[in-house]
Amino acid sequence: MNRDAKIAGKLVIDLAKIGNHEDVTAEIIDDGKTAKGVQKRVLIGPKNGAPNYIMRHFTLDVGGFTPDHAHPWEHEVYILKGKGILKTVNDEYTLKTGDYAFVMPDEKHQFINNSQEPLEFICVIPKYGQ
């Protein structure tokens, strides 16, 4: 839908990007060893013209897990649905719908779905982290 409008006789271009995660093709991450049952969708990123951040939607199937890894950028995570665990070197944190987590740069981490329903979360990273 074109939402451009004329204000005071000048064309104003609406730059907002609207979408639905179900319309974004999921990247399947599953080698059965380091990651299992992970779907990653890049909702907002460089392809949308985002200059600084990337917003991703993850779904972990029942029994699914992300790689146990570290990297030089942070994560901001918000749990949309389900329950799971954020495992770090020092601890394991239980996560549930409505919780948020901040993973520091270079912190080893892994998300694990140990529940009986899919775990869905938003994960925001800086553009250089993709």
Side-chain angles (χ1 to χ4, degrees):
M1 172 170 58
N2 186 348
R3 300 184 328 170
D4 297 350
K6 283 193 174 183
I7 298 176
K10 295 183 179 181
L11 181 63
V12 177
I13 299 173
D14 188 344
L15 299 177
K17 309 285 191 228
I18 309 299
N20 187 291
H21 79 278
E22 293 177 351
D23 297 330
V24 177
T25 302
E27 175 187 349
I28 306 301
I29 304 168
D30 188 335
D31 65 8
K33 296 177 185 176
T34 61
K36 180 180 172 189
V38 178
Q39 298 173 46
K40 178 178 85 170
R41 291 176 168 85
V42 177
L43 304 180
I44 300 171
K47 289 182 182 178
N48 308 96
N52 299 307
Y53 299 98
I54 299 172
M55 178 190 289
R56 299 145 349 139
H57 177 277
F58 283 86
T59 302
L60 274 59
D61 296 337
V62 173
F65 52 88
T66 63
D68 192 5
H69 65 292
H71 39 67
W73 57 87
E74 66 197 61
H75 287 314
E76 286 87 17
V77 175
Y78 181 76
I79 307 301
L80 297 168
K81 291 184 188 176
K83 297 177 185 173
I85 293 172
L86 168 56
K87 183 177 115 181
T88 66
V89 171
N90 296 319
D91 214 338
E92 290 188 0
Y93 302 93
T94 300
L95 301 171
K96 64 184 182 323
T97 301
D99 288 348
Y100 60 87
F102 176 65
V103 179
M104 294 289 290
D106 298 313
E107 182 177 16
K108 193 169 183 185
H109 60 282
Q110 180 180 42
F111 292 91
I112 302 166
N113 182 353
N114 64 343
S115 74
Q116 297 304 308
E117 61 182 322
L119 172 63
E120 293 186 38
F121 58 91
I122 294 292
C123 178
V124 178
I125 61 172
K127 183 171 132 178
Y128 65 84
Q130 184 62 14

